[in-house]
Amino acid sequence: MSLEKLLTVDDLAEILGRSAGTIKNQHSKTPAKLPPVCRIPGAGRLLWRREDVERWLLQHVVQLHEFVLRPEKRKPGRPRKSEARARIVTLESQHA
Protein backbone atom coordinates (compact mmCIF):
# COMPACT_ATOMS: atom_id res chain seq x y z
CA MET A 1 0.00 0.00 0.00
CA SER A 2 1.38 3.40 -0.92
CA LEU A 3 1.11 6.28 1.49
CA GLU A 4 -0.17 8.85 -0.97
CA LYS A 5 -2.14 11.88 0.10
CA LEU A 6 -5.76 10.97 0.75
CA LEU A 7 -8.38 12.56 -1.48
CA THR A 8 -10.80 15.07 0.02
CA VAL A 9 -14.38 15.78 -1.01
CA ASP A 10 -13.14 18.53 -3.34
CA ASP A 11 -10.56 16.20 -4.93
CA LEU A 12 -13.14 13.47 -5.53
CA ALA A 13 -15.64 16.02 -6.88
CA GLU A 14 -13.07 17.20 -9.42
CA ILE A 15 -12.23 13.63 -10.47
CA LEU A 16 -15.89 12.65 -10.90
CA GLY A 17 -16.98 15.97 -12.43
CA ARG A 18 -19.50 16.71 -9.69
CA SER A 19 -19.81 19.41 -7.07
CA ALA A 20 -18.57 18.93 -3.51
CA GLY A 21 -22.15 19.31 -2.29
CA THR A 22 -23.29 16.47 -4.54
CA ILE A 23 -20.54 14.22 -3.16
CA LYS A 24 -21.57 15.02 0.43
CA ASN A 25 -25.25 14.41 -0.36
CA GLN A 26 -24.55 11.11 -2.08
CA HIS A 27 -22.36 9.98 0.80
CA SER A 28 -25.17 10.57 3.29
CA LYS A 29 -28.05 9.28 1.13
CA THR A 30 -26.60 6.66 -1.23
CA PRO A 31 -23.00 5.85 -0.27
CA ALA A 32 -22.98 2.82 -2.59
CA LYS A 33 -22.86 5.25 -5.54
CA LEU A 34 -19.42 6.47 -4.44
CA PRO A 35 -16.04 4.81 -3.97
CA PRO A 36 -15.43 3.32 -0.50
CA VAL A 37 -14.52 5.90 2.13
CA CYS A 38 -11.32 5.63 4.15
CA ARG A 39 -12.25 5.90 7.84
CA ILE A 40 -9.57 7.34 10.12
CA PRO A 41 -10.37 7.02 13.85
CA GLY A 42 -11.06 10.41 15.40
CA ALA A 43 -11.33 12.22 12.06
CA GLY A 44 -14.74 13.35 10.89
CA ARG A 45 -13.66 14.24 7.36
CA LEU A 46 -14.60 12.25 4.30
CA LEU A 47 -11.40 10.87 2.76
CA TRP A 48 -10.68 8.42 -0.06
CA ARG A 49 -7.58 6.49 -1.08
CA ARG A 50 -6.60 7.17 -4.67
CA GLU A 51 -6.21 3.45 -5.40
CA ASP A 52 -9.75 2.75 -4.15
CA VAL A 53 -11.15 5.50 -6.38
CA GLU A 54 -9.23 4.20 -9.41
CA ARG A 55 -10.42 0.63 -8.78
CA TRP A 56 -14.00 1.83 -8.36
CA LEU A 57 -13.83 3.78 -11.62
CA LEU A 58 -12.49 0.75 -13.50
CA GLN A 59 -15.42 -1.31 -12.23
CA HIS A 60 -17.88 1.25 -13.60
CA VAL A 61 -16.55 1.53 -17.14
CA VAL A 62 -19.34 0.70 -19.58
CA GLN A 63 -18.41 -0.74 -22.95
CA LEU A 64 -20.29 0.44 -26.01
CA HIS A 65 -21.60 -3.06 -26.79
CA GLU A 66 -23.25 -3.18 -23.35
CA PHE A 67 -25.75 -0.52 -24.36
CA VAL A 68 -28.99 -2.03 -25.55
CA LEU A 69 -30.25 -0.45 -28.74
CA ARG A 70 -33.94 0.19 -28.37
CA PRO A 71 -36.23 0.13 -31.37
CA GLU A 72 -37.86 3.38 -32.36
CA LYS A 73 -40.97 4.15 -30.40
CA ARG A 74 -44.12 3.91 -32.48
CA LYS A 75 -46.38 6.87 -32.63
CA PRO A 76 -49.79 6.23 -31.12
CA GLY A 77 -52.65 5.62 -33.52
CA ARG A 78 -52.96 3.98 -36.87
CA PRO A 79 -49.84 4.01 -39.09
CA ARG A 80 -49.98 5.82 -42.41
CA LYS A 81 -50.41 3.71 -45.53
CA SER A 82 -46.84 4.47 -46.60
CA GLU A 83 -45.52 3.30 -43.21
CA ALA A 84 -47.61 0.12 -43.36
CA ARG A 85 -46.38 -0.67 -46.89
CA ALA A 86 -42.76 -0.06 -45.88
CA ARG A 87 -43.18 -2.38 -42.90
CA ILE A 88 -44.66 -5.13 -45.09
CA VAL A 89 -41.81 -4.81 -47.59
CA THR A 90 -39.28 -4.99 -44.74
CA LEU A 91 -40.91 -8.08 -43.25
CA GLU A 92 -41.08 -9.81 -46.65
CA SER A 93 -37.41 -9.12 -47.35
CA GLN A 94 -36.44 -10.54 -43.94
CA HIS A 95 -38.34 -13.80 -44.60
CA ALA A 96 -37.07 -14.21 -48.15
Side-chain angles (χ1 to χ4, degrees), residues 64-82:
L64 184 60
H65 69 275
E66 292 178 15
F67 285 110
V68 177
L69 297 176
R70 296 182 184 149
E72 282 188 36
K73 219 173 190 181
R74 254 187 89 238
K75 294 179 183 176
R78 183 177 179 171
R80 294 183 174 178
K81 287 183 181 180
S82 61

Side-chain angles (χ1 to χ4, degrees), residues 28-84:
S28 65
K29 294 180 180 177
T30 53
K33 291 186 178 183
L34 290 175
V37 175
C38 180
R39 294 278 180 202
I40 298 176
R45 296 176 66 193
L46 294 174
L47 299 169
W48 289 267
R49 294 186 314 172
R50 185 173 297 278
E51 60 194 41
D52 291 340
V53 172
E54 289 172 357
R55 189 179 310 112
W56 181 83
L57 284 171
L58 287 173
Q59 291 172 350
H60 290 85
V61 172
V62 177
Q63 299 297 325
L64 184 60
H65 69 275
E66 292 178 15
F67 285 110
V68 177
L69 297 176
R70 296 182 184 149
E72 282 188 36
K73 219 173 190 181
R74 254 187 89 238
K75 294 179 183 176
R78 183 177 179 171
R80 294 183 174 178
K81 287 183 181 180
S82 61
E83 293 171 345

Side-chain angles (χ1 to χ4, degrees), residues 16-29:
L16 299 180
R18 299 177 182 164
S19 69
T22 298
I23 299 296
K24 290 177 186 177
N25 284 339
Q26 277 191 328
H27 174 69
S28 65
K29 294 180 180 177

